[in-house]
Amino acid sequence: PSEAPNDSDVARLFNLLGLLYQGTQRYTEAEAAYEKALEIYQSLSEQNHVVFEPELAVVYNNVGNLYIDKCFLWCYNIQK
């Protein structure tokens, strides 16, 4: 029998889901997935910041890239 995923696994999956949504320009879904990953990692970071703060940084970076993508799309649509 396989083990149930732990919180870290779930957070990682939400981050990956955010990347998938972002790559397909589903920005609202991407942002929601990143927010769930951040919520879990923030909670885990309170327990062990050495392990989980780098994971938080990765998700925050992805959120920043999401906003850049949204800005480029907005600017592109303005120029049409």
Side-chain angles (χ1 to χ4, degrees):
S2 63
E3 293 182 30
N6 61 34
D7 288 344
S8 177
D9 292 335
V10 173
R12 187 173 298 110
L13 288 173
F14 275 121
N15 185 47
L16 292 171
L17 187 59
L19 288 168
L20 175 68
Y21 284 143
Q22 184 175 345
T24 57
Q25 296 184 350
R26 295 168 61 184
Y27 298 131
T28 302
E29 293 97 331
E31 189 169 10
Y34 289 141
E35 288 298 323
K36 288 180 182 180
L38 286 171
E39 181 180 311
I40 295 168
Y41 278 136
Q42 286 169 342
S43 175
L44 290 171
S45 182
E46 291 173 6
Q47 300 166 24
N48 188 342
H49 67 91
V50 172
V51 172
F52 294 108
E53 281 187 358
E55 300 296 334
L56 267 172
V58 168
V59 181
Y60 278 122
N61 183 67
N62 290 343
V63 170
N65 288 332
L66 171 68
Y67 293 143
I68 290 169
D69 286 353
K70 287 172 70 172
C71 181
F72 281 136
L73 182 64
W74 180 80
C75 290
Y76 175 77
N77 288 331
I78 291 284
Q79 291 181 355
K80 281 187 170 182

